[in-house]
Amino acid sequence: MAEAAQKAVAEGALTIDINMGCPVNKITKKGGGSSLLRQPEVARAIIETVVNAVDVPVTAKTRIGWDDTEINIVEFAQMLEDSGASMLTIHGRTRAQGYHGEARYSWIKKVKEVVEIPVIANGDIFSLEAALKCLTITGADGVMCSRGTLGYPFLVGEIEHFFRTGEVLPPPSISELLTCAQEHLQGLWEYKGYRGICQSRKHLAWYCKGFPGAAQLREQLAQINTLTEGLDLLQKAKESAII
């Protein structure tokens, strides 16, 4: 972990964020992600080792516990702070919940009340209204958006703009939404080549909802094999009189 962190910093990373919250089986069965909630001494060693290896802030993201019988986030968060973590992001669900049920913000509030480092709340942030509700309940220093940005990365800007100006931004037009999808596709191609095109099929589908012709466009994008195919389909959709 220390070596990986040093390589990241050498490439320009300004922060090292350690994921101690991933609930996916292939990660937890190898001792990673949210399984670290059951291995606090290992988590402590990771934070301390990385903190001593780099000169940038080291942060961590985690969940409230393994399951309803093992909700230990308050003690776990205090341990991470004592180990040198500069900030914590907490998803308000247990590992057992995955992404089901509601995020339990009350546990994030409890953490915020006992640690001095910034606490970022995560879970069910799908709108500006949800972000405001979360911050009101938790008293957190900020929110993290994850699933809420799938097909709608504008959400981050909408939340940031509101807190900076007090103004609610209008939603993007369909043209703006699909332009963003084109940029997303272009980026995946430049970063991963054909593999990126394959991965883009599900990402592009998230953009295609809530407007006439979206279902047909979604089906077409699910079959693309080249960058040009995808860009052309999105461009035609932007120019379509239906949209």
Side-chain angles (χ1 to χ4, degrees):
M1 287 290 289
E3 183 179 354
Q6 289 171 338
K7 288 181 178 179
V9 172
E11 291 294 326
L14 301 177
T15 303
I16 300 297
D17 187 49
I18 301 175
N19 189 343
M20 298 185 176
C22 179
V24 178
N25 285 333
K26 68 179 181 180
I27 301 299
T28 59
K29 71 181 182 181
K30 294 182 179 180
S34 55
S35 71
L36 288 165
L37 284 157
R38 304 179 109 181
Q39 308 171 77
E41 290 309 311
V42 175
R44 177 191 293 276
I46 290 172
I47 295 293
E48 290 179 344
T49 299
V50 176
V51 166
N52 290 328
V54 297
D55 57 1
V56 299
V58 176
T59 63
K61 181 179 186 292
T62 189
R63 288 179 170 242
I64 62 173
W66 181 257
D67 58 26
D68 281 357
T69 68
E70 296 182 46
I71 296 180
N72 61 334
I73 185 56
V74 174
E75 299 83 4
F76 194 77
Q78 290 175 306
M79 178 274 294
L80 293 176
E81 180 180 42
D82 292 342
S83 301
S86 298
M87 184 180 76
L88 300 176
T89 300
I90 302 172
H91 184 110
R93 290 182 174 86
T94 63
R95 184 268 176 182
Q97 280 183 274
Y99 298 100
H100 300 290
E102 293 185 355
R104 289 178 268 184
Y105 295 147
S106 60
W107 284 102
I108 302 176
K109 179 181 179 181
K110 291 178 181 179
V111 171
K112 178 59 184 171
E113 292 172 345
V114 299
V115 301
E116 296 183 5
I117 58 177
V119 173
I120 306 300
N122 177 236
D124 296 342
I125 310 297
F126 292 100
S127 65
L128 170 60
E129 293 74 20
L132 292 172
K133 175 184 176 182
C134 175
L135 290 174
T136 298
I137 294 173
T138 64
D141 299 283
V143 294
M144 173 181 281
C145 309
S146 45
R147 290 176 298 148
T149 64
L150 295 175
Y152 198 78
F154 302 89
L155 177 60
V156 176
E158 290 174 356
I159 295 172
E160 187 277 335
H161 182 81
F162 178 82
F163 283 108
R164 182 166 48 83
T165 68
E167 299 175 348
V168 177
L169 286 174
S173 66
I174 300 304
S175 178
E176 290 171 326
L177 188 71
L178 296 179
T179 295
C180 185
Q182 288 177 309
E183 293 172 353
H184 194 160
L185 173 59
Q186 182 73 43
L188 282 169
W189 164 255
E190 291 176 359
Y191 185 55
K192 295 185 176 182
Y194 179 69
R195 182 184 173 200
I197 297 299
C198 295
Q199 292 179 348
S200 77
R201 296 167 188 160
K202 69 175 181 179
H203 287 281
L204 296 177
W206 285 317
Y207 289 90
C208 301
K209 57 184 179 181
F211 58 87
Q216 180 181 4
L217 178 59
R218 188 164 57 245
E219 291 177 4
Q220 293 172 328
L221 289 169
Q223 302 175 52
I224 64 171
N225 286 296
T226 68
L227 173 64
T228 300
E229 280 184 89
L231 293 178
D232 286 350
L233 282 169
L234 290 165
Q235 187 61 33
K236 289 176 182 177
K238 286 167 58 177
E239 297 170 354
S240 171
I242 297 177
I243 295 177

